[in-house]
Amino acid sequence: MKRALFAALLLCAAAVQAAPALKSGTFAPARPAPEIVQKAADGSDFRLSALGGKVVGLEFGFPHSPAVCPASLAMLAQARQKLGAHADRLQVVFISVDPERDTPARLKSFPAQFDKSFIGLSRTPEQMAAI
């Protein structure tokens, strides 16, 4: 999982280079992501550890963002397209930082506008602090 998270952060950083107004970063040294267990926006059970073996891009944002979130999700969707037959090896998880406004329906439809495989999650402020 460490390698997958680090690779996802590198992927995001590389994609962002084309849009200098966006900010990203990597963890050096790489560290494991904390377990995330909850209902996804589509009602399915989500467990981050179940994505083992995939590169996981954790995108933190909110659907009401006018520019940054749509741009970064579009870049991640382009990355999946460029992977072609290997696209299923990359899983993007969009995590809302505005749980008061972001309903499950909005968190299901917003990331899906960019790629139907993207998963939307909403976290409470306490849950976000753990991440």
Side-chain angles (χ1 to χ4, degrees), residues 6-123:
F6 181 71
L9 291 171
L10 285 178
L11 174 68
C12 292
V16 169
Q17 287 179 354
L22 301 178
K23 297 185 188 249
S24 69
T26 59
F27 293 112
R31 58 186 182 209
E35 179 66 289
I36 299 172
V37 178
Q38 71 180 85
K39 289 282 186 196
D42 67 0
S44 65
D45 291 325
F46 176 84
R47 180 176 292 272
L48 184 61
S49 61
L51 300 176
K54 290 187 177 192
V55 173
V56 178
L58 294 176
E59 174 78 18
F60 296 87
F62 53 98
H64 299 89
S65 171
V68 176
C69 292
S72 60
L73 287 173
M75 286 188 282
L76 288 166
Q78 287 175 354
R80 276 186 46 85
Q81 289 175 350
K82 288 181 180 182
L83 288 171
H86 302 288
D88 63 338
R89 295 181 181 178
L90 171 61
Q91 179 61 63
V92 173
V93 180
F94 181 81
I95 302 175
S96 170
V97 296
D98 189 6
E100 289 79 30
R101 291 197 310 171
D102 295 337
T103 65
R106 182 72 175 131
L107 286 172
K108 181 180 177 186
S109 66
F110 178 69
Q113 294 174 41
F114 302 92
D115 189 295
K116 300 285 186 218
S117 73
F118 289 5
I119 298 170
L121 301 176
S122 180
R123 311 280 294 166

